[in-house]
């Protein structure tokens, strides 16, 4: 076969350009419990967020460069708008937002997005019956549809489940399990209508992966959610020697001072459809010096290609 080598270099350049053009847009979704981001004291939480803590939270968000951030323990709408404005001054513009008012009057779920929020179905009055008594889901559930580009959108479902702090009105583990089951009902409603739906379920679930409440959210079978399991980008790349367990990468997201313990209780879970667009190498736990100035949680972020596969 005769081949004109003079056309070789232009052809390579063109194919490289074409490959770049066809590559899907990458976007990032972060989750962050910002620990009492209050602009005024409440009956149950007395301290407002300090300027140093706010600065560290903004530094963390800038480091992740997310397009969407889902928050737990946000204060009032004004507190969210203050953070939005401060981030914009730092060069990160999130013009679209959602603030969810649940039964807890002090802390709330919230979302900031660079992309338009095209539908809002947040759940502010969820409740359940336990031992003959009616309980409310304290922080409700955030549910929004986000339009990344003309051809790609996804649903974000955010939660902040009952903490492990004992309460006189009921067993904390059972209360958390009931909240988790209600959250899973929202997941099932979406995926049974459309098994290929692009769905991200994320938040502070206040328990480890092997707990009944977290297992209830993840589910089983064909509609089981995929755990992205973000880890520190610290160079760990050894082969997992024990396949019964996950690799020994550093995944903890929360420091509990009472026990002096570190655990993974923050999650980004994906529907099977969303998992097909997941970019694993760009998914991680953010590790910054003095991270605890901002919050007792570390943020996590996952990346995706904005094209259905």
């Amino acid at each position: 076969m005769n081949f004109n080598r003079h056309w070789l270099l232009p052809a390579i350049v063109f194919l490289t350009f074409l490959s770049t053009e066809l590559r899907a847009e990458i976007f990032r979704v972060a989750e962050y419990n910002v620990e009492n981001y209050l602009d005024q004291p409440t009956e149950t939480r007395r301290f407002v967020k300090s300027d140093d803590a706010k600065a560290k939270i903004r530094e963390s968000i800038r480091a992740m460069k997310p397009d969407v951030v889902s928050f737990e323990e946000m204060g009032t709408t004004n507190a969210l708008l203050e953070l939005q404005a401060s981030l914009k001054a730092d060069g990160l513009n999130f013009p679209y937002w959602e603030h969810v008012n649940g039964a807890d009057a002090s802390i709330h779920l919230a979302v900031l997005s660079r992309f338009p929020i095209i539908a809002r179905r947040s759940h502010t009055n969820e409740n359940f019956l336990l031992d003959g008594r009616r309980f409310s889901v304290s922080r409700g559930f955030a549910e929004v549809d986000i339009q990344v580009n003309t051809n790609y959108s996804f649903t974000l479902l955010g939660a902040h489940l009952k903490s492990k702090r004992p309460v006189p009105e009921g067993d904390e583990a059972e209360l958390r399990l009931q909240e988790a089951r209600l959250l899973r009902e929202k997941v099932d409603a979406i995926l049974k209508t459309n098994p290929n739906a692009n769905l991200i379920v994320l938040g502070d679930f206040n328990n480890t992966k092997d707990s009944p409440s977290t297992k209830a959210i993840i589910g089983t079978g064909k509609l089981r959610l995929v755990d992205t399991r973000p880890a520190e980008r610290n160079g760990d790349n050894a082969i997992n020697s024990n396949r019964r367990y996950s690799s020994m990468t550093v995944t903890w997201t929360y420091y509990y001072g009472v026990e002096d313990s570190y655990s993974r209780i923050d999650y980004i879970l994906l529907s099977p459809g969303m998992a097909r667009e997941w970019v694993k190498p760009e998914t991680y736990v953010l590790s910054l010096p003095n991270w605890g100035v901002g919050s007792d949680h570390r943020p996590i972020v996952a990346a995706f290609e904005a094209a259905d596969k």
Side-chain angles (χ1 to χ4, degrees):
M1 177 183 297
N2 294 325
F3 187 80
N4 189 338
R5 68 183 63 185
H6 297 291
W7 289 99
L8 181 60
L9 182 58
I12 291 174
V13 171
F14 173 75
L15 290 173
T16 301
F17 171 79
L18 184 63
S19 174
T20 302
E21 287 298 300
L22 293 176
R23 188 179 304 147
E25 174 187 2
I26 300 295
F27 68 96
R28 293 171 174 81
V29 177
E31 180 273 344
Y32 199 176
N33 181 321
V34 287
E35 191 188 11
N36 297 324
Y37 200 102
L38 305 181
D39 59 349
Q40 57 190 21
T42 70
E43 290 185 8
T44 58
R45 299 170 191 253
R46 295 181 297 162
F47 301 103
V48 301
K49 204 68 169 172
S50 71
D51 290 340
D52 286 345
K54 290 179 178 180
K56 179 59 67 172
I57 285 170
R58 295 196 306 274
E59 179 188 353
S60 298
I61 295 171
R62 291 198 307 271
M64 295 185 293
K65 299 182 176 64
D67 298 289
V68 180
V69 193
S70 182
F71 297 103
E72 301 84 45
E73 296 201 21
M74 180 56 63
T76 63
T77 302
N78 286 340
L80 176 64
L81 295 179
E82 174 273 315
L83 176 57
Q84 179 194 42
S86 297
L87 287 168
K88 185 175 182 179
D90 288 346
L92 291 181
N93 187 21
F94 298 98
Y96 307 98
W97 57 273
E98 173 84 340
H99 186 274
V100 182
N101 286 315
D104 190 327
S106 297
I107 54 174
H108 310 277
L109 301 172
V111 178
L112 289 178
S113 177
R114 188 170 70 84
F115 307 122
I117 296 175
I118 57 173
R120 304 170 190 268
R121 296 179 299 276
S122 293
H123 309 274
T124 61
N125 194 30
E126 297 297 307
N127 58 81
F128 56 89
L129 194 64
L130 179 62
D131 296 330
R133 183 173 178 179
R134 182 68 57 181
F135 292 88
S136 295
V137 176
S138 293
R139 270 76 71 164
F141 303 126
E143 184 177 347
V144 294
D145 292 343
I146 297 175
Q147 190 78 45
V148 179
N149 58 36
T150 304
N151 299 314
Y152 193 90
S153 65
F154 70 95
T155 297
L156 182 148
L157 189 55
H160 182 192
L161 301 189
K162 171 72 184 75
S163 72
K164 290 187 176 182
R165 180 176 58 85
V167 291
E169 55 266 28
D171 177 72
E172 49 85 11
E174 187 60 35
L175 291 169
R176 187 167 50 256
L177 177 58
Q178 295 302 319
E179 290 187 344
R181 287 172 174 167
L182 282 176
L183 179 59
R184 182 65 213 195
E185 287 181 8
K186 310 303 179 192
V187 173
D188 288 337
I190 294 169
L191 296 184
K192 287 179 180 178
T193 300
N194 178 12
N196 293 315
N198 296 325
L199 172 64
I200 301 179
V201 183
L202 76 177
D204 176 0
F205 298 164
N206 264 314
N207 219 332
T208 54
K209 186 176 180 179
D210 64 339
S211 67
S213 55
T214 305
K215 286 181 177 179
I217 299 167
I218 293 174
T220 59
K222 293 182 179 180
L223 300 184
R224 176 184 174 90
L225 299 178
V226 175
D227 181 8
T228 58
R229 196 176 182 267
E232 288 185 14
R233 298 195 292 185
N234 59 8
D236 286 348
N237 60 4
I239 296 174
N240 187 6
S241 60
N242 188 339
R243 296 302 176 90
R244 292 181 300 169
Y245 307 114
S246 301
S247 62
M248 288 188 287
T249 49
V250 181
T251 62
W252 64 266
T253 62
Y254 173 59
Y255 171 65
Y256 185 38
V258 173
E259 296 179 350
D260 192 25
S261 63
Y262 300 81
S263 56
R264 182 168 79 102
I265 64 174
D266 297 87
Y267 297 84
I268 298 176
L269 307 177
L270 311 177
S271 66
M274 193 80 197
R276 290 193 284 269
E277 287 92 70
W278 175 31
V279 181
K280 294 182 182 180
E282 294 299 316
T283 298
Y284 58 92
V285 174
L286 182 67
S287 178
L288 283 182
N290 300 315
W291 61 273
V293 172
S295 172
D296 51 2
H297 290 249
R298 298 196 298 180
I300 55 179
V301 62
F304 305 90
E305 292 187 48
D308 286 309
K309 294 185 176 182

